[in-house]
Amino acid sequence: MSTIISEDIANPPTNRLLKVLDVALPDRNYPITIGTNLLSHLEHFKLHAGQRVLIATNTTIAPLYLQTLTNMLAANGIEVDSVIVPDGEQYKTMATWNTILTQLLANNHTRRSILIALGGGVIGDVAGFAASAYQRGIPFIQVPTTLLAQVDSSVGGKTAINHPLGKNMIGAFYQPQAVVIDLNCLKTLPPRQLSAGLAEVIKYGIILDSTFFDWLESHIDDLLHLDPAAMSYCIYHCCKLKADVVIADETEQNLRAILNLGHTYGHAIETELGYGKWLHGEAVSVGMLMAAYAANLLDKFSLTDIDRIKNLLSRAGLPITRPSQMPAEAYLPHMLRDKKVLSGQLRLVLPTQIGKVEVIDGIDKNIVLESIKSVEMK
Ligand code: NAD
Ligand code: GLY
């Protein structure tokens, strides 16, 4: 189990809402630190004077946060350079991966250099994958700046790039040495991106924790307004739920698959429409509804619970209708390429009640088609 090292939420005047969670994997540990103003403090990065760092970020995040992070590291005796790549899911590619590797080589970074991923899930995934490959692996640190990255993609060591034939199809399991979550970064996040992150937050309630789902029903507006205490609790709780799954099954032999609720449908939307058209969280929102309908068609999940999920997703500003330009039949070829598919059989994560899911093999294609059609088109 992950352990709480500190939690000083009870001490508001001086604290930075600081919480530290230790992810204790079988062969290594790393801390996830959540708080405010962390980009200006070295203490949670597990770095020290004399080290060399490359920061990978993108054209949107660089003007917002690169200088603060660079100055802080330099002031602490760390040698820093950076690589700024284009922004967008459509750039989560081998070309961007190669740009990061080229910068590492061009600036003579060694095996001891540390790569910092400063950005959302796209930067975290592609930079993490570059770290896994450079000189057969150098340490890296995740500094997630979107809600989605703070609650999900920065935790657990999945790194990847997309291929035109499938999302996240090329990558590695590669754990960071630290995850530093600065709540202040959310202040500049566009509302649509905040909502996209809430899709993964709601996912945790559906798959693992009905009490947390209840809490979200009462606090979704606080999260949309970036209430610091609610947001800090929410991010911490999601990281803890995910860390416990990752500790139990780091390389997704079984249990970790539950984190993919709605993702098989969602990845089909992202790939078919073109990466970046629908945000990952938006596609997951509709995908979770489709999974809920599939479970209902198999008599495993009630329409009342589907309504609760639909209502919460909608209040979070997420889509609950599917893209009009994509017929139900167009989902299947993508879904059959999903990493969970074994021997050509569809394998889906389906809810059985709020807070519980099952991974079900060999689901009839007609059920899948019906579940897609159950979600209205926009
Ligand atoms: P993203 O990285 O594209 O970021 C969303 C947008 O917000 C981008 O335009 C980005 O530049 C901008 N941005 C980031 N931080 C900002 C800030 N603080 N202020 C203003 N703008 C900011 O998207 P995302 O939603 O963070 O991540 C989605 C990606 O994560 C997908 O590729 C998905 O496959 C991946 N993912 C990976 C895992 C995993 O376990 N590795 C889990 C879930 C999702
Ligand atoms: N987002 C799915 C996972 O980390 O396994």
Side-chain angles (χ1 to χ4, degrees):
M1 296 279 279
S2 54
T3 49
I4 309 163
I5 296 176
S6 64
E7 190 178 359
D8 65 357
I9 194 166
N11 186 21
T14 54
N15 82 5
R16 303 201 306 265
L17 293 168
L18 200 69
K19 297 181 172 66
V20 185
L21 190 68
D22 182 44
V23 183
L25 292 161
D27 56 347
R28 82 217 88 112
N29 287 31
Y30 64 89
I32 300 173
T33 309
I34 302 161
T36 55
N37 210 18
L38 299 189
L39 297 190
S40 305
H41 293 87
L42 185 67
E43 62 195 290
H44 305 291
F45 283 79
K46 287 179 69 180
L47 292 171
H48 55 80
Q51 288 185 304
R52 284 193 71 196
V53 157
L54 175 71
I55 302 173
T57 190
N58 74 22
T59 47
T60 304
I61 300 152
L64 295 169
Y65 302 111
L66 183 57
Q67 201 62 52
T68 305
L69 185 56
T70 303
N71 289 351
M72 182 278 284
L73 294 171
N76 283 285
I78 292 160
E79 196 184 319
V80 194
D81 63 316
S82 55
V83 54
I84 300 172
V85 302
D87 181 13
E89 183 74 36
Q90 65 275 33
Y91 296 106
K92 192 171 145 181
T93 56
M94 195 153 279
T96 301
W97 180 71
N98 193 40
T99 301
I100 298 171
L101 293 173
T102 301
Q103 181 78 7
L104 284 162
L105 279 167
N107 286 3
N108 299 313
H109 279 282
T110 70
R111 276 202 170 144
R112 297 208 169 160
S113 291
I114 298 109
L115 186 55
I116 296 185
L118 173 68
V122 169
I123 286 291
D125 278 13
V126 68
F129 185 38
S132 80
Y134 187 66
Q135 300 198 9
R136 301 195 181 87
I138 59 170
F140 91 110
I141 298 171
Q142 290 268 21
V143 182
T145 59
T146 62
L147 179 63
L148 186 138
Q150 295 183 346
V151 296
D152 192 351
S153 62
S154 68
V155 178
K158 276 190 182 175
T159 73
I161 53 174
N162 299 330
H163 187 280
L165 291 179
K167 202 175 142 58
N168 294 336
M169 280 294 168
I170 300 159
F173 287 100
Y174 197 66
Q175 301 290 344
Q177 74 170 30
V179 180
V180 179
I181 298 178
D182 191 331
L183 297 166
N184 286 354
C185 292
L186 298 178
K187 292 179 184 163
T188 55
L189 194 64
R192 186 178 168 204
Q193 299 290 349
L194 184 69
S195 292
L198 288 172
E200 302 281 11
V201 168
I202 293 168
K203 174 191 81 178
Y204 290 115
I206 302 171
I207 63 175
L208 284 165
D209 190 340
S210 64
T211 309
F212 183 54
F213 191 93
D214 297 344
W215 183 88
L216 287 172
E217 287 180 320
S218 311
H219 291 86
I220 198 76
D221 294 335
D222 297 333
L223 297 176
L224 287 165
H225 290 108
L226 300 182
D227 174 83
M231 190 54 90
S232 157
Y233 165 73
C234 171
I235 294 173
Y236 159 77
H237 194 71
C238 292
C239 288
K240 173 139 180 54
L241 288 171
K242 178 159 182 180
D244 286 341
V245 171
V246 171
I247 289 164
D249 179 23
E250 184 180 351
T251 57
E252 198 168 316
Q253 302 305 306
N254 41 62
L255 177 71
R256 187 167 179 167
I258 68 171
L259 298 173
N260 293 323
L261 173 70
H263 284 54
T264 308
Y265 294 99
H267 285 171
I269 295 174
E270 291 184 83
T271 308
E272 175 74 14
L273 299 187
Y275 299 122
K277 291 270 170 23
W278 271 48
L279 301 181
H280 177 71
E282 293 170 343
V284 166
S285 171
V286 168
M288 289 194 295
L289 272 184
M290 290 171 177
Y293 278 113
N296 176 260
L297 290 162
L298 294 169
D299 284 331
K300 287 175 178 289
F301 197 63
S302 73
L303 285 173
T304 314
D305 282 338
I306 292 182
D307 279 343
R308 276 185 78 192
I309 294 175
K310 207 186 271 183
N311 204 13
L312 187 55
L313 292 171
S314 170
R315 287 178 60 208
L318 285 158
I320 52 170
T321 52
R322 67 189 162 99
S324 55
Q325 61 273 50
M326 189 170 171
E329 291 70 22
Y331 287 69
L332 283 178
H334 297 292
M335 294 178 77
L336 284 164
R337 253 186 236 120
D338 184 75
K339 292 189 281 308
K340 285 185 294 308
V341 165
L342 301 173
S343 325
Q345 296 284 303
L346 270 172
R347 200 159 178 250
L348 291 178
V349 182
L350 301 184
T352 53
Q353 59 190 65
I354 302 269
K356 274 209 162 107
V357 283
E358 282 176 14
V359 181
I360 303 191
D361 286 311
I363 299 179
D364 190 291
K365 287 182 184 140
N366 291 320
I367 297 276
V368 176
L369 281 175
E370 204 48 45
S371 67
I372 295 165
K373 288 175 185 165
S374 301
V375 174
E376 275 175 45
M377 274 189 178
K378 215 185 235 171

